[in-house]
Amino acid sequence: MTDFPSDLDGQARAWLAKFADALEHANSEALEALFQPDSHWRDVLAFTWHLTTVDGAAELAQALVATQSEAQASSFALDPDRTAPRMVKRAGTECLEVIFRFETALGRGSGLFRLVPGPAGLVAWTFHSALQELKGFEEKTGWNRPKGDSYARDFGGPNWLDQRRAAQAYAGRDPAVIVVGAGQAGLDIAARLGQLGVDTLIVDRHQRIGDNWRNRYHSLTLHNEVHVNHMPYMPFPETWPTFVPKDKLANWFEAYADAMELNVWTDTSFVGGTYDDAEERWTVTLRRGDGSERTMSPRHVVMAVGVSGIKNVPELPGLDSFAGTVVHSADYTDGAPWQGKNALILGTGNSGHDVAQDLHSHGAKATLVQRHPTTVVSVEPSGQMVYALYKEGPPTADCDLITTSTPYALLKRTFQMIVKETQEIDRDLLEGLKRVGFRMDLGEDETGFQMKYLRRGGGYYLNVGCSELIINGQVGLLQFDEIERFVAQGVRLRDGSVVPADLIVLATGYKGQQDLLRLLFGAEIAERTGPVWGFDAGGELANMFKRTGQPGLWFIAGSLAQCRIYSKYLALQIKACEEGMISRSLDPTSKPALAAE
Ligand SMILES: Cc1cc2nc3c(=O)[nH]c(=O)nc-3n(C[C@H](O)[C@H](O)[C@H](O)COP(=O)(O)OP(=O)(O)OC[C@H]3O[C@@H](n4cnc5c(N)ncnc54)[C@H](O)[C@@H]3O)c2cc1C
């Protein structure tokens, strides 16, 4: 670190002052000189009202100047309430990491830059700007919390419970936003919107909030550590175990919805809707558990339906003739009824492995059928390395900012480095798997399991013990190529032998969200929207957490951490649409319109 001067604060302050000056004077040359040639700017709403990354010093300097006339960013300063400038190593590069704050015409933001030595002093390698709040619509938290006078001191009037019941009932009024799905994605976005005063109803087809986790297989606990997974405003208790069991999380979701005063209709299916371009409103149909229907006209629909909307059931030769039971992994709950029976599990991702292990532990003879190579890492320590940042010391909010500040190019490099390390750590495990013929890969461009998750939502296994069972033969392994066809008793292999089965579990994943859109809204809206999830050409998750090609249609999904982080930015965009600060349409000719009551 000899290239870095000792006065980190002073260096950070000096760079930021030069940056602010160049920006104020719209001097793109001066701005460019402050960055190394191969640098990146990731903006989250503050300058562009998009989630976008610009690569290259010249390009980002021009983009900053071009967007500054509208953004009017000013008052750049180090943030005394955040982690102080410090030396860190990111993607293998030593750098001075600095958190700052600033204002724009419409809001207040936080940002982060990383300085590295250049030919004539420190220059920026990455720059991040993110809107944190809208002026005039600050969240009612901390000292700004509601006083509660309206229900505490009005002796004749409705009390808190009366008001909550009325809010939930939606008698004679429709919400501004309908959120489909009461998993963490739905709960997080509704909690954020509630803070911004946006009337929001969540609907979920399940009987109880939390059933999305409750109904998963018996032995499931979260695969990443508790401190990474907090939900907005209400962190998990200090007493909780490192790996949270599914039913504990499910019950927390119920408590969360109550504490955060969320309006949730359970046992209610969102069955579809149409959009009126002129009115800028949806007409949607909700089907309640008793079969009755309610039509509502929200201005926004947020799809928080997870990546598990439609089960993927591949064409399998002869499966119709199989005499036993066939279930998709989504419908598998418990191995107990299969004690002493033979089970084939198709698919070698997390679900396939966990189901096989569950069946084995209940005394079934479980055999995994592998069709594609799979990325395998130990759940600990390797699986946790992508979250190492959250153990560095800074509070969760600062870690979240560091996470959003990471452009795609760095993310890729970071994951490639982690893969190299985990290959060493997991060497014995991986060699054991190779010995028994389990096929593995490291993901496209060797970025490992986390990038596979972001690109396609699966294709990997975080080992919690099933790999050892495969290695020592307690869980069987078949390659799909060995199978000729499914028959009444199980599967017939190409060598003529039959592997018997009483149960076939299809751990074959889920279809993409575009298929679900087609089902709920028709082909035109699905086409207008385009692909959801996976990376787009600009290195951002396609159509996630931001305006889409279909005005008023939004998407949120992902891990607990992703939902916590990006629910904030999604809520800010919906609020900005509601207040006429931005257009709900991505069409540049479209003007923002104030929400019509
Ligand atoms: C086995 C497994 C382990 C995982 N472990 C972790 C982990 O350790 N850490 C982590 O961060 N993530 C983990 N994940 C990933 C992710 O966090 C979960 O998949 C999580 O459930 C996603 O939450 P969600 O809110 O996006 O969607 P979901 O949990 O899928 O919830 C969607 C909800 O939408 C409802 N819904 C869908 N369509 C409709 C409709 N038309 N009408 C009404 N309601 C509807 C569903 O009933 C459901 O309740 C795991 C996933 C799986 C499968």
Side-chain angles (χ1 to χ4, degrees):
M1 297 195 206
T2 47
D3 290 324
F4 287 92
S6 57
D7 176 16
L8 301 183
D9 264 41
Q11 290 295 320
R13 247 180 259 283
W15 188 92
L16 192 58
K18 281 189 244 167
F19 173 87
D21 186 63
L23 189 65
E24 191 188 331
H25 293 98
N27 186 343
S28 54
E29 268 177 37
L31 274 172
E32 185 182 339
L34 290 170
F35 288 83
Q36 72 168 23
D38 175 21
S39 51
H40 313 272
W41 168 38
R42 183 164 194 240
D43 184 57
V44 175
L45 311 179
F47 283 72
T48 61
W49 278 108
H50 289 291
L51 277 66
T52 187
T53 302
V54 185
D55 300 314
E59 291 80 357
L60 70 81
Q62 274 167 25
L64 276 163
V65 168
T67 48
Q68 165 68 355
S69 54
E70 209 167 314
Q72 293 173 40
S74 64
S75 309
F76 290 89
L78 298 196
D79 191 337
D81 299 329
R82 297 276 205 165
T83 302
R86 61 191 183 130
M87 292 303 302
V88 293
K89 207 172 198 178
R90 300 280 178 233
T93 300
E94 235 140 18
C95 56
L96 171 57
E97 190 169 80
V98 184
I99 297 182
F100 65 96
R101 65 186 182 193
F102 63 103
E103 290 191 16
T104 66
L106 295 176
R108 294 178 196 89
S110 291
L112 184 147
F113 57 89
R114 298 187 180 94
L115 300 180
V116 291
L122 296 182
V123 286
W125 170 37
T126 71
F127 185 81
H128 173 52
S129 45
L131 186 71
Q132 299 297 311
E133 63 181 7
L134 294 166
K135 289 177 183 168
F137 304 102
E138 291 79 7
E139 292 191 335
K140 293 183 175 39
T141 55
W143 292 112
N144 197 21
R145 69 176 72 231
K147 298 219 168 5
D149 297 0
S150 59
Y151 44 76
R153 309 236 170 95
D154 180 1
F155 283 82
N159 72 1
W160 174 83
L161 188 58
D162 300 327
Q163 291 182 26
R164 285 296 306 129
R165 284 189 180 133
Q168 287 252 45
Y170 286 99
R173 82 176 209 285
D174 288 350
V177 180
I178 287 189
V179 175
V180 188
Q184 75 243 7
L187 297 175
D188 288 4
I189 182 62
R192 301 275 195 194
L193 286 168
Q195 281 305 305
L196 294 171
V198 179
D199 190 356
T200 303
L201 167 66
I202 312 178
V203 296
D204 199 299
R205 59 162 81 104
H206 285 310
Q207 297 292 320
R208 275 175 73 189
I209 299 169
D211 277 354
N212 60 322
W213 284 99
R214 225 173 259 121
N215 292 347
R216 286 179 176 158
Y217 54 88
H218 195 69
S219 51
L220 176 63
T221 61
L222 287 186
H223 290 130
N224 47 17
E225 294 173 342
V226 65
H227 61 271
V228 182
N229 289 328
H230 297 302
M231 292 167 76
Y233 312 112
M234 251 176 91
F236 299 124
E238 291 280 332
T239 54
W240 274 33
T242 307
F243 295 102
V244 180
K246 67 171 179 92
D247 297 282
K248 196 170 175 64
L249 184 66
N251 292 353
W252 180 263
F253 278 15
E254 268 183 328
Y256 184 85
D258 185 53
M260 296 308 301
E261 304 186 358
L262 308 184
N263 301 324
V264 188
W265 285 8
T266 51
D267 199 12
T268 302
S269 290
F270 181 96
V271 289
T274 54
Y275 185 74
D276 186 324
D277 282 306
E279 290 286 320
E280 297 196 326
R281 270 181 194 277
W282 293 92
T283 302
V284 306
T285 306
L286 308 177
R287 187 170 302 142
R288 311 298 304 266
D290 62 6
S292 65
E293 288 193 348
R294 167 86 185 259
T295 303
M296 284 188 169
S297 304
R299 287 187 289 275
H300 308 267
V301 172
V302 179
M303 301 300 286
V305 294
V307 283
S308 328
I310 303 179
K311 296 161 204 164
N312 181 38
V313 179
E315 285 283 314
L316 297 167
L319 188 63
D320 288 350
S321 61
F322 176 60
T325 303
V326 181
V327 290
H328 191 273
S329 57
D331 303 314
Y332 171 90
T333 50
D334 188 3
W338 301 101
Q339 185 181 15
K341 306 274 193 214
N342 293 306
L344 288 176
I345 302 98
L346 269 71
T348 45
N350 259 331
S351 297
H353 277 88
D354 285 350
V355 168
Q357 190 169 359
D358 196 57
L359 282 161
H360 167 77
S361 65
H362 283 96
K365 179 166 176 8
T367 301
L368 272 169
V369 180
Q370 183 173 36
R371 198 166 192 172
H372 303 290
T374 308
T375 307
V376 178
V377 291
S378 59
V379 71
E380 269 185 298
S382 296
Q384 307 308 317
M385 285 169 68
V386 291
Y387 305 109
L389 159 67
Y390 285 81
K391 281 189 169 165
E392 277 179 9
T396 309
D398 290 359
C399 292
D400 286 353
L401 189 71
I402 298 169
T403 299
T404 54
S405 75
T406 309
Y408 181 72
L410 253 74
L411 202 63
K412 215 168 109 172
R413 210 181 314 158
T414 306
F415 290 155
Q416 284 167 336
M417 292 175 64
I418 291 176
V419 164
K420 283 213 173 78
E421 239 179 290
T422 59
Q423 286 282 293
E424 279 308 310
I425 293 169
D426 295 336
R427 177 178 291 280
D428 291 348
L429 176 80
L430 302 179
E431 281 182 354
L433 283 169
K434 243 182 257 164
R435 269 199 308 278
V436 294
F438 190 90
R439 291 183 299 136
M440 286 171 287
D441 68 0
L442 300 175
E444 203 182 301
D445 49 32
E446 310 213 324
T447 41
F449 85 94
Q450 188 70 352
M451 203 55 127
K452 267 195 174 179
Y453 171 65
L454 295 171
R455 282 178 174 150
R456 44 178 275 221
Y460 58 88
Y461 173 52
L462 294 169
N463 179 36
V464 290
C466 193
S467 293
E468 284 81 1
L469 295 174
I470 298 170
I471 293 167
N472 65 29
Q474 288 174 278
V475 164
L477 178 67
L478 258 184
Q479 290 300 326
F480 188 78
D481 300 348
E482 296 176 62
I483 295 175
E484 189 201 319
R485 61 185 292 108
F486 289 78
V487 293
Q489 309 91 324
V491 288
R492 188 163 64 227
L493 303 185
R494 295 191 189 282
D495 66 9
S497 61
V498 169
V499 179
D502 305 289
L503 170 70
I504 291 177
V505 182
L506 301 174
T508 43
Y510 299 88
K511 291 192 171 159
Q513 292 237 10
Q514 245 190 322
D515 289 270
L516 186 63
L517 289 190
R518 238 172 248 123
L519 210 70
L520 295 176
F521 302 107
E524 196 186 330
I525 286 182
E527 287 317 308
R528 256 197 202 189
T529 307
V532 182
W533 201 255
F535 286 98
D536 61 22
E540 295 289 337
L541 280 179
N543 279 322
M544 292 305 300
F545 323 117
K546 58 185 177 186
R547 284 177 288 176
T548 69
Q550 169 58 54
L553 185 63
W554 311 82
F555 296 86
I556 178 165
S559 65
L560 282 134
Q562 273 174 303
C563 290
R564 175 185 68 243
I565 294 171
Y566 286 101
S567 55
K568 175 180 199 129
Y569 301 116
L570 176 48
L572 285 172
Q573 290 168 87
I574 292 176
K575 180 68 177 173
C577 286
E578 285 294 280
E579 298 302 329
M581 293 172 170
I582 57 168
S583 160
R584 55 174 41 220
S585 169
L586 278 175
D587 174 0
T589 60
S590 163
K591 291 265 171 293
L594 271 170
E597 284 305 323

